[in-house]
Every structure is written in structure tokens, then in C-alpha cells.
Amino acid sequence: MSAPPRLLHLLELADKGPALRAALAEEVAELLVDWPPDCPAEMRAPCEALLAQAARQVDSYTRARLRVRLYADPGLAARLLPRETNRDLMEWVRSGDIQGALADTAGLSPAKVAEILADDSGQALAVACKGSGIDRATYSAIAMLAKGDGAVANAYEKLDMFDNVPTREAVRQLRAWRMETIHAAE
């Protein structure tokens, strides 16, 4: 069986080491989303395995770009780019890196997350969490820990914010923020 030139190129990138992992991951993601007719179907599983391995070796911004590329196939994205569980996320938040935890989980830049955390109403944080599939209990903990000054005057309003944000709208807004992050990185 002869491999098409595009597959040969991907194999060459894989042999180049970690320096080109992001390029490899993005090209494989593109290939999987738009599987060309000249590529043998039996090569799809090895390509998925290659993407899963490469995705573990890239930074959070590249993983976020990959999630956006794989948006057309949510099942593929869930298999190859699993998100941190809420429990793992909470351990990360408790370690004190709320901004890093939310940036990685939501697939946003640290600057965008800083903007979200600065919103005193809690609306932006509720949107980011709900759109990322973060549950209410985890959102509540993040909302309470995000303000290190101990201010809890409007804590109940912030906690209720999560329930008032429609999931569909949160997913749409998070997707728009991710696109901003991707375009800013390019």
C-alpha cells in the first residue's frame, strides 16, 4: 500500500521531534476533519493516535486551537483532546493558579482570563465555566477563590449568575472568545 504524499509529510514531521509537534498536531487535525478520498481509511486510526500523542506534548494554546479545528466533529475532539476533570481543575485552582487553570480548561489566553476574572458581576466567569462544561460547584469555588480579598458582599449574586446563564449562549460566547485567542496568537 502506497501512502499519499500528505501522509508521508506528516510522518516526516513526526520524526522531527518536539520542535514541530504543534505543526504536526494542527496538520493531522485538519486531515482528520477533511479526510481526503485518496487517503486509505485504515490510516485514519493511526492518524488519530498520532494526534492524541502530539496533543499531549503541546501547550494549552495549541490544544485550544486543535479543539476549535475539531469542532466539526465533537466526538473526535472528546476522544483525542479530553478536558481536565472538574476534580483535577479544582486541585489546580486550589494550588493558587486560577488564571492558568481557567485558561487551560476554557482554551483562552491568560489575558482574556484576566479580563474575565476582573468582571465583578461574575457574568463572564459564569459564561466561561458553563461554556467549558465546568459544573456549578466548581464554578462556585472558582468564583469564591478568584477574589483573594475575602470580599463576599455579592457572593450569592455571583453564584446565582451560573444558573442564569443559558448553556447554548455560554458555549457560543466561549467559542467567540477562543477564536479571538487564536487570532491574537497568529
Side-chain angles (χ1 to χ4, degrees):
M1 168 178 59
S2 172
R6 189 167 182 191
L7 288 177
L8 292 174
H9 172 69
L10 293 175
L11 293 174
E12 286 174 20
L13 280 177
D15 286 338
K16 301 264 184 193
L20 295 177
R21 272 311 166 238
L24 172 66
E26 290 188 26
E27 285 199 36
V28 174
E30 185 178 320
L31 176 70
L32 288 169
V33 169
D34 296 320
W35 192 258
D38 65 331
C39 287
E42 56 270 6
M43 290 302 297
R44 190 167 173 86
C47 284
E48 287 185 15
L50 181 61
L51 177 56
Q53 180 182 9
R56 285 190 298 273
Q57 299 171 348
V58 297
D59 61 20
S60 61
Y61 301 116
T62 303
R63 280 191 300 277
R65 284 196 308 272
L66 292 171
R67 281 189 186 95
V68 170
R69 282 189 195 256
L70 296 177
Y71 178 74
D73 188 344
L76 181 65
R79 279 194 321 275
L80 302 182
L81 301 166
R83 294 196 178 273
E84 297 291 318
T85 64
N86 286 321
R87 181 179 171 167
D88 293 340
L89 174 63
M90 278 311 305
E91 288 178 23
W92 196 356
V93 166
R94 285 187 190 114
S95 75
D97 188 11
I98 295 171
Q99 188 170 336
L102 192 56
D104 188 64
T105 302
L108 299 171
S109 70
K112 185 63 179 180
V113 172
E115 182 182 315
I116 289 168
L117 293 174
D119 172 25
D120 287 333
S121 73
Q123 170 83 22
L125 181 59
V127 168
C129 289
K130 201 163 202 177
S132 299
I134 295 172
D135 63 31
R136 187 184 194 283
T138 305
Y139 160 78
S140 299
I142 292 170
M144 299 309 293
L145 294 172
K147 291 291 183 182
D149 59 2
V152 292
N154 61 354
Y156 290 116
E157 291 174 14
K158 284 184 181 180
L159 298 180
D160 290 340
M161 187 65 65
F162 187 83
D163 297 325
N164 296 331
V165 171
T167 302
R168 177 176 278 164
E169 176 60 24
V171 169
R172 187 199 62 74
Q173 181 61 55
L174 183 61
R175 190 176 320 126
W177 287 340
R178 285 178 180 155
M179 292 305 291
E180 287 175 16
T181 298
I182 290 169
H183 291 301
E186 291 177 345

